[in-house]
Amino acid sequence: MIEGVKISPLRQIFDERGKVMHMLRQDSSVFTRFGEIYFSTTHPGAIKAWHLHKQMTLNYVAAYGKIKLVLYDNREKSETKGLVQEIILSNDNHILVSIPPMIWNGFCSANNNVAVLANCSDIPHDKEEIKR
């Protein structure tokens, strides 16, 4: 696993009407502060990569569908420099992936369906802060 990346299993509450899928709570060990939340839709065959955030911590969860998330550590002083990590996020594998700043990342739908990735970041998006 890439240094600083955290994977947290998330709770789902089921009943006869459907379910509640948790994402991030203020009392979670990975929560630092709220910046913004947004949803990114990805179509089958499309790849949203590569980018990194210089300051932002990402907190990703699959809101809908199945997503293949790929991370690459290019940080000079990292113990895991050069490591690639692939993670599947889905409604069946309901996890939160917390990605610290300076980790390259990208994602795509992991099957032939539209997928939706939710991000609850610790700072608001700033086009000067992202590197592509």
Side-chain angles (χ1 to χ4, degrees):
M1 180 177 303
I2 291 177
E3 180 184 355
V5 173
K6 295 179 181 137
I7 298 175
S8 307
L10 295 174
R11 188 167 175 220
Q12 297 185 78
I13 303 166
F14 297 88
D15 69 17
E16 69 282 353
R17 300 166 297 168
K19 65 180 173 178
V20 171
M21 299 168 62
H22 283 224
M23 181 173 176
L24 187 59
R25 294 170 46 111
Q26 182 182 11
D27 59 357
S28 168
S29 64
V30 297
F31 180 81
T32 55
R33 64 183 178 180
F34 176 77
E36 74 172 309
I37 187 165
Y38 66 83
F39 302 90
S40 184
T41 301
T42 181
H43 298 289
I47 299 172
K48 292 191 169 183
W50 288 99
H51 70 277
L52 70 73
H53 290 276
K54 299 176 205 170
Q55 300 168 6
M56 181 187 291
T57 296
L58 307 168
N59 290 292
Y60 284 163
V61 70
Y64 178 81
K66 187 174 184 179
I67 295 165
K68 180 179 183 177
L69 172 65
V70 181
L71 309 175
Y72 175 67
D73 188 357
N74 194 39
R75 298 171 295 174
E76 285 301 322
K77 296 181 180 179
S78 172
E79 299 266 331
T80 55
K81 184 178 186 327
L83 190 68
V84 173
Q85 183 174 354
E86 295 184 8
I87 305 163
I88 298 294
L89 299 90
S90 70
N91 300 131
D92 295 327
N93 186 33
H94 190 53
I95 57 175
L96 175 75
V97 180
S98 300
I99 306 166
M102 303 304 292
I103 301 290
W104 288 98
N105 70 93
F107 60 93
C108 64
S109 172
N111 56 27
N112 290 324
N113 299 307
V114 170
V116 180
L117 182 75
N119 179 26
C120 182
S121 63
D122 64 346
I123 61 173
H125 178 76
D126 175 357
K127 64 181 180 181
E128 301 301 318
E129 184 270 341
I130 192 169
K131 201 172 165 187
R132 296 185 189 275

